[in-house]
Amino acid sequence: MECRDPPVLHDQPGKCASDKIFLLFAIKSIPKHFERRQAVRETWGREGSYENGLQVRTVFLLGRSSVDDPSLDKIVSFEAQLFKDLLVWDFHDTFYNLTLKEHVFFKWMLDHCPQVSFIFKGDDDVFANTQAILNHLKSLDPAQASTLYTGQIISDATPLRDPNIKYYVPQSFYEGPYPPYAGGGGFLFSGNLLPSLYHVSFYIPFYPIDDVYNGMCFKAIGINPTKHDGFKTFDIREQDRENPCVHKDLLLVHQRNPQQTMRLWRNMHSSMLTC
Ligand SMILES: *[C@@H]1O[C@H](CO)[C@@H](O)[C@H](O)[C@H]1NC(C)=O
């Protein structure tokens, strides 16, 4: 709870320097997920200039492996130098520390990427449809674009009280319902909300579930989430999961492994594809 300012081990201070960045992908990952990160780089997370010159950048957010894991520090360090897309902080990368990752990410954005138009925050095991995301963001009117917080919205959720499950929260820690929040597999928000989000994150105690914490922060700054039916954080019908045509109209599905992501991307961009 008190640890809020861990040192940065690998930084990318020039990430947003050159151009006006339209969309930044900020992907939560952990050190050992090399293959997942590479699948993202080769598919939906590709950096560069898209249709109409829109600039897209990608960063992966990491902490350190736990004491019980073999050290991956040297390999991660090599990866950071090679791809220049890793942000690594010196804290234990565990589920309960995801909110800390959120907080240091806000800080990093304000320091190094304050002019970004939109941020996609998500997991390293999702499939995102980059062109559909860009089209959606382009279609927003100025009022929507400056107050965006969208994804698959979970409303009326309450803490789970079974001590044996991952999302268990004891009564002594939190009572009452959760604010509506966008599922943490992947959601979008406006870059100009970053200063207020960072500011309120000092006043709202860290919460062990990071997407719920986000919901609390957005609520505190007076932003309501808007649902978008193209975000499928609980996946789609089993028979549609390999179907590129079904994915053309979606913005995000959770979850896909690296091989499924590669295959889906290739099929979606095939010149033979007729939907
Ligand atoms: C979060 O990271 C800090 C700093 O590495 C560590 O001391 C703490 O045990 C971690 N918390 C959890 C719940 O893993």
Side-chain angles (χ1 to χ4, degrees):
M1 282 283 184
E2 303 305 320
C3 164
R4 282 181 173 255
D5 202 10
V8 185
L9 298 173
H10 294 286
D11 201 356
Q12 309 297 339
K15 180 55 73 178
C16 298
S18 50
D19 303 280
K20 166 84 180 145
I21 311 302
F22 185 71
L23 174 65
L24 181 106
F25 283 113
I27 315 300
K28 293 174 281 178
S29 192
I30 58 173
K32 66 180 173 190
H33 287 170
F34 299 106
E35 203 187 12
R36 292 190 188 183
R37 289 192 288 280
Q38 194 56 29
V40 172
R41 286 185 192 107
E42 293 184 14
T43 59
W44 55 268
R46 182 180 62 81
E47 296 189 300
S49 186
Y50 284 70
E51 233 174 82
N52 301 315
L54 299 179
Q55 293 294 327
V56 174
R57 297 289 182 274
T58 298
V59 287
F60 296 95
L61 315 176
L62 281 77
R64 305 200 49 193
S65 14
S66 95
V67 280
D68 294 335
D69 290 321
S71 169
L72 300 174
D73 291 355
K74 285 226 167 74
I75 313 179
V76 166
S77 168
F78 179 72
E79 185 188 359
Q81 284 167 34
L82 189 62
F83 295 107
K84 302 190 169 29
D85 56 10
L86 299 191
L87 299 178
V88 187
W89 285 274
D90 191 4
F91 66 83
H92 285 158
D93 209 334
T94 59
F95 176 69
Y96 287 141
N97 262 342
L98 278 176
T99 308
L100 172 61
K101 196 177 267 191
E102 193 67 36
H103 179 78
V104 293
F105 169 64
F106 288 154
K107 171 84 167 45
W108 184 87
M109 287 300 292
L110 287 176
D111 288 344
H112 300 295
C113 215
Q115 303 297 328
V116 66
S117 305
F118 300 101
I119 295 142
F120 171 100
K121 184 92 194 302
D123 290 335
D124 61 5
D125 60 350
V126 302
F127 181 88
N129 183 347
T130 312
Q131 196 53 55
I133 291 174
L134 293 174
N135 294 346
H136 173 62
L137 294 173
K138 271 308 253 189
S139 75
L140 300 173
D141 66 41
Q144 294 169 322
S146 61
T147 57
L148 188 72
Y149 173 37
T150 193
Q152 179 162 12
I153 307 308
I154 296 142
S155 303
D156 307 316
T158 49
L160 300 177
R161 304 299 192 193
D162 174 356
N164 299 314
I165 55 178
K166 180 178 170 187
Y167 299 102
Y168 167 61
V169 170
Q171 205 115 27
S172 58
F173 191 76
Y174 186 89
E175 279 190 62
Y178 289 149
Y181 64 95
F187 64 93
L188 292 163
F189 66 101
S190 310
N192 66 313
L193 299 175
L194 282 164
S196 4
L197 286 171
Y198 181 61
H199 183 76
V200 293
S201 73
F202 279 97
Y203 298 97
I204 303 179
F206 283 168
Y207 199 75
I209 305 172
D210 67 317
D211 46 7
V212 171
Y213 186 74
N214 270 309
M216 294 173 176
C217 292
F218 279 99
K219 186 180 177 185
I221 64 168
I223 300 291
N224 292 316
T226 43
K227 84 172 170 125
H228 190 303
D229 289 331
F231 285 79
K232 305 290 185 191
T233 58
F234 301 111
D235 217 331
I236 54 178
R237 296 189 312 172
E238 188 134 18
Q239 62 262 44
D240 291 338
R241 290 186 187 166
E242 298 266 343
N243 184 338
C245 290
V246 170
H247 288 75
K248 283 225 154 216
D249 301 321
L250 300 176
L251 275 64
L252 173 127
V253 285
H254 180 255
Q255 76 204 113
R256 294 289 177 275
N257 67 33
Q259 289 69 26
Q260 292 167 326
T261 292
M262 297 296 295
R263 190 162 53 238
L264 205 45
W265 189 259
R266 194 173 59 240
N267 292 338
M268 270 177 78
H269 294 86
S270 158
S271 52
M272 317 276 280
L273 184 68
T274 44
C275 292

